[in-house]
Amino acid sequence: MPDKPIALVTGASRGIGRGIAVRLAAEGYDVAFCFRSGKEAADETRAAVEAAGARCFADRCDVADHADVQTFVTAAEDALGPVDLLVNNAGITRDNPLVLMPPEDWNDVIATNLTGTFNFCRRVAFGQMKRRRGTIVNISSVAGVYGNAAQANYAASKGGMNVLTRSLSRELAPYGIRVNAVAPGFIETDMTDALPEKFRAKALKTIPLGRIGTVDQVADLVCFLASERAAYITGQTVQVDGGYSQ
Amino acid sequence: MPTTQQYLDEIREIVADSLEIEPDEMTETSSFVDDHDGDSLRAIEILARLEKRYGIEIPQAELPKMGNLRAVYDVVAERAGWNS
């Protein structure tokens, strides 16, 4: 029986990242994931990944820290093997209207969401280029396509991820590596659970399908883009948003 | 153990094959990019072939240094322990 492919998911202690990690385990990947905080939540993700029959490597990593990323990826590859699929999911929000947004909140969001994605792509793609195979899926947001008031930092970071995706797809295509982005809309997670009912009701009115998406629906798309069924798709930002984009 | 010159000639063959040029077109200091139309695709191919040939792992940080034959030899020699 051939070795299982290896997936690395950043920011998978909870939410969409956890959903993707567990789904990939069920789809036959061994899974490495990192987290910055929430050790207990990360332990739950690990247990779920292992329950799905996969080997799992998990550790803390600050994705914005280039040296930390080097250390984490090396340890993950030593434990499981070379990374076939990289899913850049780690992300933070620090919402505020422009004139109230502290510069450090701008910098933190860009550093984690955009520079973190660059750090992992740079490290993991090197090995994928040598092996001439691999896939990268970046978890973006519809905010990165359309922008969002009071989310200038988050939207800019996600828009940057979308163009990074397109650029890397061109650069890495000669090596047989595909790079795509998934842009979720309103998805049911801890983050959206915390929103006031009034805000949720207002958001629902902007979604043609009239309901909030699920983590599983995002994970489905990631699995598809990672698979051979998507062998001719690269450089795309695919929205999973209930028609919000229409 | 092979001499430095023998290693250099062996690496020259590998690099020339990747760059699709004749080995004698390359000097120890001619630039892969400026003199032999190399690009990043070739650079990774050269690196991967050298790793396989000599059973070494060349760190990502060494890649920018590998711009000519002598520089490649120096990187490989250090990793393979030829100088020790």
Side-chain angles (χ1 to χ4, degrees):
Chain A
M1 188 174 149
D3 289 342
K4 286 182 170 188
I6 311 299
L8 191 164
V9 185
T10 69
S13 61
R14 58 198 170 91
I16 291 174
R18 175 190 285 178
I20 293 168
V22 175
R23 172 63 68 83
L24 289 169
E27 295 271 332
Y29 286 85
D30 285 332
V31 176
F33 75 89
C34 66
F35 57 98
R36 188 158 69 172
S37 57
K39 175 73 167 60
E40 280 182 21
D43 287 342
E44 288 174 22
T45 300
R46 177 201 284 271
V49 165
E50 290 176 344
R55 293 187 298 152
C56 185
F57 175 85
D59 206 351
R60 283 185 198 278
C61 177
D62 177 0
V63 301
D65 184 325
H66 185 256
D68 219 17
V69 171
Q70 300 287 320
T71 303
F72 173 79
V73 176
T74 300
E77 294 199 324
D78 285 348
L80 299 180
V83 174
D84 297 290
L85 165 63
L86 168 64
V87 182
N88 284 299
N89 169 77
I92 59 170
T93 55
R94 298 279 186 275
D95 297 352
N96 238 328
L98 176 66
V99 295
L100 297 177
M101 185 177 288
E104 53 269 29
D105 283 1
W106 169 271
N107 288 334
D108 285 350
V109 170
I110 297 293
T112 296
N113 300 5
L114 182 56
T115 307
T117 301
F118 164 79
N119 286 339
F120 268 91
C121 285
R122 185 178 186 277
R123 173 61 178 82
V124 171
F126 182 59
Q128 292 182 333
M129 290 162 82
K130 287 194 280 186
R131 297 188 296 279
R132 289 184 168 267
R133 66 187 166 85
T135 315
I136 298 173
V137 179
N138 295 323
I139 307 303
S140 170
S141 165
V142 289
V145 181
Y146 302 104
N148 211 9
Q151 280 199 314
N153 48 4
Y154 182 75
S157 73
K158 295 299 186 177
M161 283 176 74
N162 294 343
V163 185
L164 177 66
T165 298
R166 195 171 284 268
S167 300
L168 294 185
S169 74
R170 291 173 179 272
E171 187 170 328
L172 301 181
Y175 302 89
I177 300 165
R178 293 184 299 106
V179 188
N180 290 292
V182 168
F186 206 141
I187 303 297
E188 198 75 65
T189 64
D190 294 349
M191 206 191 299
T192 52
D193 278 350
L195 293 171
E197 190 50 45
K198 199 170 124 192
F199 184 93
R200 289 170 68 93
K202 195 175 164 195
L204 275 173
K205 285 187 184 157
T206 66
I207 304 170
L209 282 179
R211 60 181 186 271
I212 293 173
T214 67
V215 167
D216 275 348
Q217 288 161 344
V218 178
D220 275 341
L221 182 53
V222 172
C223 286
F224 170 72
L225 289 172
S227 76
E228 277 304 300
R229 289 172 292 162
Y232 200 52
I233 300 174
T234 194
Q236 303 304 306
T237 297
V238 185
Q239 296 172 207
V240 49
D241 63 3
Y244 174 84
S245 51
Q246 291 174 27
Chain B
M1 188 169 163
T3 63
T4 298
Q5 190 58 50
Q6 284 170 320
Y7 277 131
L8 268 168
D9 289 343
E10 204 170 82
I11 293 171
R12 185 196 303 271
E13 291 278 345
I14 292 169
V15 173
D17 188 54
S18 293
L19 294 174
E20 297 175 356
I21 61 173
E22 293 300 321
D24 58 11
E25 290 178 51
M26 186 189 307
T27 71
E28 283 189 29
T29 54
S30 58
S31 164
F32 299 159
V33 173
D34 296 334
D35 300 318
H36 304 303
D37 290 332
D39 57 23
S40 59
L41 187 67
R42 306 288 183 204
I44 293 283
E45 180 183 321
I46 290 164
L47 183 143
R49 289 178 69 172
L50 291 168
E51 285 187 338
K52 194 171 175 187
R53 172 67 183 82
Y54 298 110
I56 56 175
E57 188 166 342
I58 300 171
Q60 196 165 358
E62 300 287 342
L63 188 60
K65 299 178 191 169
M66 298 169 64
N68 61 45
L69 181 60
R70 187 75 214 184
V72 168
Y73 170 83
D74 288 343
V75 168
V76 173
E78 187 186 337
R79 293 287 142 190
W82 295 341
N83 298 330
S84 56

